[in-house]
mmCIF file with all atom_site columns, all heavy atoms in Angstrom:
data_model
loop_
_atom_site.group_PDB
_atom_site.id
_atom_site.type_symbol
_atom_site.label_atom_id
_atom_site.label_alt_id
_atom_site.label_comp_id
_atom_site.label_asym_id
_atom_site.label_entity_id
_atom_site.label_seq_id
_atom_site.pdbx_PDB_ins_code
_atom_site.Cartn_x
_atom_site.Cartn_y
_atom_site.Cartn_z
_atom_site.occupancy
_atom_site.B_iso_or_equiv
_atom_site.pdbx_formal_charge
_atom_site.auth_seq_id
_atom_site.auth_comp_id
_atom_site.auth_asym_id
_atom_site.auth_atom_id
_atom_site.pdbx_PDB_model_num
ATOM   1   N N   . SER A 1 135 ? 103.523 107.860 93.753  1.00 94.00 ? 135 SER A N   1
ATOM   2   C CA  . SER A 1 135 ? 104.906 107.944 93.286  1.00 94.00 ? 135 SER A CA  1
ATOM   3   C C   . SER A 1 135 ? 105.929 107.217 94.246  1.00 94.00 ? 135 SER A C   1
ATOM   4   O O   . SER A 1 135 ? 106.951 106.697 93.878  1.00 94.00 ? 135 SER A O   1
ATOM   5   C CB  . SER A 1 135 ? 105.412 109.444 93.200  1.00 94.00 ? 135 SER A CB  1
ATOM   6   O OG  . SER A 1 135 ? 105.193 110.061 94.443  1.00 94.00 ? 135 SER A OG  1
ATOM   7   N N   . ASN A 1 136 ? 105.452 107.224 95.571  1.00 94.00 ? 136 ASN A N   1
ATOM   8   C CA  . ASN A 1 136 ? 106.471 106.855 96.667  1.00 94.00 ? 136 ASN A CA  1
ATOM   9   C C   . ASN A 1 136 ? 106.612 105.409 96.920  1.00 94.00 ? 136 ASN A C   1
ATOM   10  O O   . ASN A 1 136 ? 107.488 104.941 97.657  1.00 94.00 ? 136 ASN A O   1
ATOM   11  C CB  . ASN A 1 136 ? 106.334 107.721 97.843  1.00 94.00 ? 136 ASN A CB  1
ATOM   12  C CG  . ASN A 1 136 ? 104.925 107.555 98.459  1.00 94.00 ? 136 ASN A CG  1
ATOM   13  O OD1 . ASN A 1 136 ? 104.023 107.137 97.791  1.00 94.00 ? 136 ASN A OD1 1
ATOM   14  N ND2 . ASN A 1 136 ? 104.783 107.938 99.741  1.00 94.00 ? 136 ASN A ND2 1
ATOM   15  N N   . LYS A 1 161 ? 95.704  104.252 86.308  1.00 98.00 ? 161 LYS A N   1
ATOM   16  C CA  . LYS A 1 161 ? 96.484  105.375 85.606  1.00 98.00 ? 161 LYS A CA  1
ATOM   17  C C   . LYS A 1 161 ? 97.879  105.402 86.191  1.00 98.00 ? 161 LYS A C   1
ATOM   18  O O   . LYS A 1 161 ? 98.180  105.475 87.328  1.00 98.00 ? 161 LYS A O   1
ATOM   19  C CB  . LYS A 1 161 ? 95.728  106.678 86.164  1.00 98.00 ? 161 LYS A CB  1
ATOM   20  C CG  . LYS A 1 161 ? 96.585  107.916 86.331  1.00 98.00 ? 161 LYS A CG  1
ATOM   21  C CD  . LYS A 1 161 ? 96.859  108.592 84.992  1.00 98.00 ? 161 LYS A CD  1
ATOM   22  C CE  . LYS A 1 161 ? 97.390  110.063 85.074  1.00 98.00 ? 161 LYS A CE  1
ATOM   23  N NZ  . LYS A 1 161 ? 98.710  110.147 85.588  1.00 98.00 ? 161 LYS A NZ  1
ATOM   24  N N   . HIS A 1 163 ? 101.678 106.276 87.118  1.00 96.00 ? 163 HIS A N   1
ATOM   25  C CA  . HIS A 1 163 ? 102.338 107.532 87.631  1.00 96.00 ? 163 HIS A CA  1
ATOM   26  C C   . HIS A 1 163 ? 103.464 107.725 86.741  1.00 96.00 ? 163 HIS A C   1
ATOM   27  O O   . HIS A 1 163 ? 104.288 106.802 86.514  1.00 96.00 ? 163 HIS A O   1
ATOM   28  C CB  . HIS A 1 163 ? 102.690 107.262 89.075  1.00 96.00 ? 163 HIS A CB  1
ATOM   29  C CG  . HIS A 1 163 ? 103.166 108.644 89.691  1.00 96.00 ? 163 HIS A CG  1
ATOM   30  N ND1 . HIS A 1 163 ? 104.257 109.241 89.470  1.00 96.00 ? 163 HIS A ND1 1
ATOM   31  C CD2 . HIS A 1 163 ? 102.429 109.419 90.635  1.00 96.00 ? 163 HIS A CD2 1
ATOM   32  C CE1 . HIS A 1 163 ? 104.303 110.388 90.003  1.00 96.00 ? 163 HIS A CE1 1
ATOM   33  N NE2 . HIS A 1 163 ? 103.216 110.534 90.835  1.00 96.00 ? 163 HIS A NE2 1
ATOM   34  N N   . ARG A 1 198 ? 97.176  114.376 82.073  1.00 96.00 ? 198 ARG A N   1
ATOM   35  C CA  . ARG A 1 198 ? 96.389  114.587 83.266  1.00 96.00 ? 198 ARG A CA  1
ATOM   36  C C   . ARG A 1 198 ? 94.906  114.753 82.915  1.00 96.00 ? 198 ARG A C   1
ATOM   37  O O   . ARG A 1 198 ? 94.029  114.231 83.603  1.00 96.00 ? 198 ARG A O   1
ATOM   38  C CB  . ARG A 1 198 ? 96.948  115.874 83.948  1.00 96.00 ? 198 ARG A CB  1
ATOM   39  C CG  . ARG A 1 198 ? 96.240  116.193 85.156  1.00 96.00 ? 198 ARG A CG  1
ATOM   40  C CD  . ARG A 1 198 ? 96.913  117.346 85.835  1.00 96.00 ? 198 ARG A CD  1
ATOM   41  N NE  . ARG A 1 198 ? 98.100  116.978 86.595  1.00 96.00 ? 198 ARG A NE  1
ATOM   42  C CZ  . ARG A 1 198 ? 98.689  117.742 87.469  1.00 96.00 ? 198 ARG A CZ  1
ATOM   43  N NH1 . ARG A 1 198 ? 98.294  118.876 87.739  1.00 96.00 ? 198 ARG A NH1 1
ATOM   44  N NH2 . ARG A 1 198 ? 99.775  117.292 88.049  1.00 96.00 ? 198 ARG A NH2 1
ATOM   45  N N   . PHE A 1 215 ? 92.893  106.687 95.019  1.00 98.00 ? 215 PHE A N   1
ATOM   46  C CA  . PHE A 1 215 ? 94.092  107.575 94.614  1.00 98.00 ? 215 PHE A CA  1
ATOM   47  C C   . PHE A 1 215 ? 95.010  107.695 95.866  1.00 98.00 ? 215 PHE A C   1
ATOM   48  O O   . PHE A 1 215 ? 94.611  107.721 97.014  1.00 98.00 ? 215 PHE A O   1
ATOM   49  C CB  . PHE A 1 215 ? 93.420  109.000 94.352  1.00 98.00 ? 215 PHE A CB  1
ATOM   50  C CG  . PHE A 1 215 ? 94.522  110.084 94.322  1.00 98.00 ? 215 PHE A CG  1
ATOM   51  C CD1 . PHE A 1 215 ? 95.065  110.484 93.141  1.00 98.00 ? 215 PHE A CD1 1
ATOM   52  C CD2 . PHE A 1 215 ? 94.896  110.756 95.453  1.00 98.00 ? 215 PHE A CD2 1
ATOM   53  C CE1 . PHE A 1 215 ? 95.954  111.515 93.094  1.00 98.00 ? 215 PHE A CE1 1
ATOM   54  C CE2 . PHE A 1 215 ? 95.806  111.754 95.373  1.00 98.00 ? 215 PHE A CE2 1
ATOM   55  C CZ  . PHE A 1 215 ? 96.295  112.201 94.167  1.00 98.00 ? 215 PHE A CZ  1
ATOM   56  N N   . GLY A 1 217 ? 98.349  110.254 96.834  1.00 95.00 ? 217 GLY A N   1
ATOM   57  C CA  . GLY A 1 217 ? 99.238  111.319 96.224  1.00 95.00 ? 217 GLY A CA  1
ATOM   58  C C   . GLY A 1 217 ? 99.036  112.688 97.008  1.00 95.00 ? 217 GLY A C   1
ATOM   59  O O   . GLY A 1 217 ? 98.827  112.585 98.199  1.00 95.00 ? 217 GLY A O   1
ATOM   60  N N   . SER A 1 218 ? 99.127  113.779 96.266  1.00 95.00 ? 218 SER A N   1
ATOM   61  C CA  . SER A 1 218 ? 99.043  115.047 96.912  1.00 95.00 ? 218 SER A CA  1
ATOM   62  C C   . SER A 1 218 ? 97.550  115.429 97.220  1.00 95.00 ? 218 SER A C   1
ATOM   63  O O   . SER A 1 218 ? 96.573  114.962 96.679  1.00 95.00 ? 218 SER A O   1
ATOM   64  C CB  . SER A 1 218 ? 99.588  116.093 95.978  1.00 95.00 ? 218 SER A CB  1
ATOM   65  O OG  . SER A 1 218 ? 98.805  116.229 94.843  1.00 95.00 ? 218 SER A OG  1
ATOM   66  N N   . GLY A 1 221 ? 96.057  116.889 93.982  1.00 97.00 ? 221 GLY A N   1
ATOM   67  C CA  . GLY A 1 221 ? 95.607  115.860 93.029  1.00 97.00 ? 221 GLY A CA  1
ATOM   68  C C   . GLY A 1 221 ? 94.406  115.176 93.492  1.00 97.00 ? 221 GLY A C   1
ATOM   69  O O   . GLY A 1 221 ? 93.374  114.977 92.790  1.00 97.00 ? 221 GLY A O   1
ATOM   70  N N   . ALA A 1 224 ? 91.337  117.392 93.423  1.00 97.00 ? 224 ALA A N   1
ATOM   71  C CA  . ALA A 1 224 ? 90.903  117.742 92.056  1.00 97.00 ? 224 ALA A CA  1
ATOM   72  C C   . ALA A 1 224 ? 90.077  116.542 91.455  1.00 97.00 ? 224 ALA A C   1
ATOM   73  O O   . ALA A 1 224 ? 88.973  116.754 90.911  1.00 97.00 ? 224 ALA A O   1
ATOM   74  C CB  . ALA A 1 224 ? 92.108  117.973 91.148  1.00 97.00 ? 224 ALA A CB  1
ATOM   75  N N   . GLU A 1 241 ? 93.774  109.184 99.222  1.00 97.00 ? 241 GLU A N   1
ATOM   76  C CA  . GLU A 1 241 ? 94.691  109.302 100.439 1.00 97.00 ? 241 GLU A CA  1
ATOM   77  C C   . GLU A 1 241 ? 95.682  110.373 100.072 1.00 97.00 ? 241 GLU A C   1
ATOM   78  O O   . GLU A 1 241 ? 96.460  110.237 99.133  1.00 97.00 ? 241 GLU A O   1
ATOM   79  C CB  . GLU A 1 241 ? 95.266  107.866 100.555 1.00 97.00 ? 241 GLU A CB  1
ATOM   80  C CG  . GLU A 1 241 ? 95.962  107.750 101.935 1.00 97.00 ? 241 GLU A CG  1
ATOM   81  C CD  . GLU A 1 241 ? 97.448  107.902 101.841 1.00 97.00 ? 241 GLU A CD  1
ATOM   82  O OE1 . GLU A 1 241 ? 97.954  109.094 101.927 1.00 97.00 ? 241 GLU A OE1 1
ATOM   83  O OE2 . GLU A 1 241 ? 98.092  106.886 101.666 1.00 97.00 ? 241 GLU A OE2 1
ATOM   84  N N   . MET A 1 242 ? 95.571  111.486 100.845 1.00 95.00 ? 242 MET A N   1
ATOM   85  C CA  . MET A 1 242 ? 96.306  112.644 100.399 1.00 95.00 ? 242 MET A CA  1
ATOM   86  C C   . MET A 1 242 ? 97.412  113.106 101.335 1.00 95.00 ? 242 MET A C   1
ATOM   87  O O   . MET A 1 242 ? 97.962  114.237 101.232 1.00 95.00 ? 242 MET A O   1
ATOM   88  C CB  . MET A 1 242 ? 95.336  113.908 100.202 1.00 95.00 ? 242 MET A CB  1
ATOM   89  C CG  . MET A 1 242 ? 94.113  113.415 99.216  1.00 95.00 ? 242 MET A CG  1
ATOM   90  S SD  . MET A 1 242 ? 92.928  114.735 99.093  1.00 95.00 ? 242 MET A SD  1
ATOM   91  C CE  . MET A 1 242 ? 92.103  114.741 100.721 1.00 95.00 ? 242 MET A CE  1
ATOM   92  N N   . GLY A 1 243 ? 97.755  112.255 102.233 1.00 84.00 ? 243 GLY A N   1
ATOM   93  C CA  . GLY A 1 243 ? 98.907  112.558 103.070 1.00 84.00 ? 243 GLY A CA  1
ATOM   94  C C   . GLY A 1 243 ? 98.611  113.287 104.347 1.00 84.00 ? 243 GLY A C   1
ATOM   95  O O   . GLY A 1 243 ? 97.403  113.527 104.666 1.00 84.00 ? 243 GLY A O   1
ATOM   96  N N   . CYS A 1 278 ? 103.963 108.967 103.481 1.00 95.00 ? 278 CYS A N   1
ATOM   97  C CA  . CYS A 1 278 ? 102.687 109.736 103.883 1.00 95.00 ? 278 CYS A CA  1
ATOM   98  C C   . CYS A 1 278 ? 102.525 109.625 105.350 1.00 95.00 ? 278 CYS A C   1
ATOM   99  O O   . CYS A 1 278 ? 101.885 110.402 105.977 1.00 95.00 ? 278 CYS A O   1
ATOM   100 C CB  . CYS A 1 278 ? 101.544 109.238 103.157 1.00 95.00 ? 278 CYS A CB  1
ATOM   101 S SG  . CYS A 1 278 ? 101.313 107.447 103.140 1.00 95.00 ? 278 CYS A SG  1
ATOM   102 N N   . PHE A 1 371 ? 106.602 117.319 101.971 1.00 95.00 ? 371 PHE A N   1
ATOM   103 C CA  . PHE A 1 371 ? 106.761 115.964 101.681 1.00 95.00 ? 371 PHE A CA  1
ATOM   104 C C   . PHE A 1 371 ? 108.289 115.764 101.534 1.00 95.00 ? 371 PHE A C   1
ATOM   105 O O   . PHE A 1 371 ? 108.967 116.042 100.550 1.00 95.00 ? 371 PHE A O   1
ATOM   106 C CB  . PHE A 1 371 ? 106.112 115.499 100.317 1.00 95.00 ? 371 PHE A CB  1
ATOM   107 C CG  . PHE A 1 371 ? 106.064 114.050 99.979  1.00 95.00 ? 371 PHE A CG  1
ATOM   108 C CD1 . PHE A 1 371 ? 105.336 113.232 100.784 1.00 95.00 ? 371 PHE A CD1 1
ATOM   109 C CD2 . PHE A 1 371 ? 106.723 113.534 98.999  1.00 95.00 ? 371 PHE A CD2 1
ATOM   110 C CE1 . PHE A 1 371 ? 105.345 111.882 100.525 1.00 95.00 ? 371 PHE A CE1 1
ATOM   111 C CE2 . PHE A 1 371 ? 106.693 112.155 98.623  1.00 95.00 ? 371 PHE A CE2 1
ATOM   112 C CZ  . PHE A 1 371 ? 105.977 111.347 99.449  1.00 95.00 ? 371 PHE A CZ  1
HETATM 113 P P1  . LIG B 2 .   ? 100.524 113.988 92.705  1.00 60.44 ? 1   LIG B P1  1
HETATM 114 O O1  . LIG B 2 .   ? 101.166 115.207 92.106  1.00 60.44 ? 1   LIG B O1  1
HETATM 115 O O2  . LIG B 2 .   ? 99.265  113.982 93.478  1.00 60.44 ? 1   LIG B O2  1
HETATM 116 O O3  . LIG B 2 .   ? 100.281 112.986 91.560  1.00 60.44 ? 1   LIG B O3  1
HETATM 117 C C1  . LIG B 2 .   ? 99.694  111.718 91.742  1.00 60.44 ? 1   LIG B C1  1
HETATM 118 C C2  . LIG B 2 .   ? 98.843  111.379 90.518  1.00 60.44 ? 1   LIG B C2  1
HETATM 119 O O4  . LIG B 2 .   ? 97.782  112.234 90.507  1.00 60.44 ? 1   LIG B O4  1
HETATM 120 C C3  . LIG B 2 .   ? 99.564  111.464 89.216  1.00 60.44 ? 1   LIG B C3  1
HETATM 121 O O5  . LIG B 2 .   ? 99.135  110.397 88.330  1.00 60.44 ? 1   LIG B O5  1
HETATM 122 C C4  . LIG B 2 .   ? 99.097  112.746 88.700  1.00 60.44 ? 1   LIG B C4  1
HETATM 123 O O6  . LIG B 2 .   ? 99.003  112.678 87.298  1.00 60.44 ? 1   LIG B O6  1
HETATM 124 C C5  . LIG B 2 .   ? 97.745  113.013 89.258  1.00 60.44 ? 1   LIG B C5  1
HETATM 125 N N1  . LIG B 2 .   ? 97.354  114.354 89.469  1.00 60.44 ? 1   LIG B N1  1
HETATM 126 C C6  . LIG B 2 .   ? 98.018  115.274 90.153  1.00 60.44 ? 1   LIG B C6  1
HETATM 127 N N2  . LIG B 2 .   ? 97.491  116.459 90.245  1.00 60.44 ? 1   LIG B N2  1
HETATM 128 C C7  . LIG B 2 .   ? 96.327  116.257 89.504  1.00 60.44 ? 1   LIG B C7  1
HETATM 129 C C8  . LIG B 2 .   ? 95.243  117.176 89.147  1.00 60.44 ? 1   LIG B C8  1
HETATM 130 N N3  . LIG B 2 .   ? 95.129  118.396 89.571  1.00 60.44 ? 1   LIG B N3  1
HETATM 131 N N4  . LIG B 2 .   ? 94.265  116.620 88.369  1.00 60.44 ? 1   LIG B N4  1
HETATM 132 C C9  . LIG B 2 .   ? 94.271  115.410 87.947  1.00 60.44 ? 1   LIG B C9  1
HETATM 133 N N5  . LIG B 2 .   ? 95.321  114.511 88.160  1.00 60.44 ? 1   LIG B N5  1
HETATM 134 C C10 . LIG B 2 .   ? 96.232  114.941 88.929  1.00 60.44 ? 1   LIG B C10 1
HETATM 135 O O7  . LIG B 2 .   ? 101.570 113.183 93.688  1.00 60.44 ? 1   LIG B O7  1
HETATM 136 P P2  . LIG B 2 .   ? 103.037 112.882 93.461  1.00 60.44 ? 1   LIG B P2  1
HETATM 137 O O8  . LIG B 2 .   ? 103.520 113.084 92.042  1.00 60.44 ? 1   LIG B O8  1
HETATM 138 O O9  . LIG B 2 .   ? 103.120 111.506 93.952  1.00 60.44 ? 1   LIG B O9  1
HETATM 139 O O10 . LIG B 2 .   ? 103.830 113.697 94.460  1.00 60.44 ? 1   LIG B O10 1
HETATM 140 C C11 . LIG B 2 .   ? 103.629 115.040 94.680  1.00 60.44 ? 1   LIG B C11 1
HETATM 141 C C12 . LIG B 2 .   ? 103.184 115.384 96.002  1.00 60.44 ? 1   LIG B C12 1
HETATM 142 O O11 . LIG B 2 .   ? 102.247 114.391 96.458  1.00 60.44 ? 1   LIG B O11 1
HETATM 143 C C13 . LIG B 2 .   ? 104.340 115.215 97.008  1.00 60.44 ? 1   LIG B C13 1
HETATM 144 O O12 . LIG B 2 .   ? 105.163 116.346 97.088  1.00 60.44 ? 1   LIG B O12 1
HETATM 145 C C14 . LIG B 2 .   ? 103.516 114.916 98.279  1.00 60.44 ? 1   LIG B C14 1
HETATM 146 O O13 . LIG B 2 .   ? 103.097 116.076 98.911  1.00 60.44 ? 1   LIG B O13 1
HETATM 147 C C15 . LIG B 2 .   ? 102.326 114.074 97.866  1.00 60.44 ? 1   LIG B C15 1
HETATM 148 N N6  . LIG B 2 .   ? 102.454 112.663 98.146  1.00 60.44 ? 1   LIG B N6  1
HETATM 149 C C16 . LIG B 2 .   ? 101.630 112.106 99.004  1.00 60.44 ? 1   LIG B C16 1
HETATM 150 C C17 . LIG B 2 .   ? 101.640 110.779 99.184  1.00 60.44 ? 1   LIG B C17 1
HETATM 151 C C18 . LIG B 2 .   ? 100.726 110.074 100.100 1.00 60.44 ? 1   LIG B C18 1
HETATM 152 O O14 . LIG B 2 .   ? 101.132 108.889 100.583 1.00 60.44 ? 1   LIG B O14 1
HETATM 153 N N7  . LIG B 2 .   ? 99.665  110.650 100.390 1.00 60.44 ? 1   LIG B N7  1
HETATM 154 C C19 . LIG B 2 .   ? 102.478 110.013 98.461  1.00 60.44 ? 1   LIG B C19 1
HETATM 155 C C20 . LIG B 2 .   ? 103.219 110.571 97.441  1.00 60.44 ? 1   LIG B C20 1
HETATM 156 C C21 . LIG B 2 .   ? 103.180 111.920 97.314  1.00 60.44 ? 1   LIG B C21 1
HETATM 157 P P3  . LIG B 2 .   ? 99.998  113.527 86.346  1.00 60.44 ? 1   LIG B P3  1
HETATM 158 O O15 . LIG B 2 .   ? 101.384 112.949 86.666  1.00 60.44 ? 1   LIG B O15 1
HETATM 159 O O16 . LIG B 2 .   ? 99.624  113.038 85.039  1.00 60.44 ? 1   LIG B O16 1
HETATM 160 O O17 . LIG B 2 .   ? 99.879  114.987 86.472  1.00 60.44 ? 1   LIG B O17 1
#
Side-chain angles (χ1 to χ4, degrees):
S135 58
N136 58 341
K161 152 77 166 73
H163 194 289
R198 181 174 283 193
F215 167 94
S218 65
E241 194 258 89
M242 303 178 293
C278 47
F371 193 66

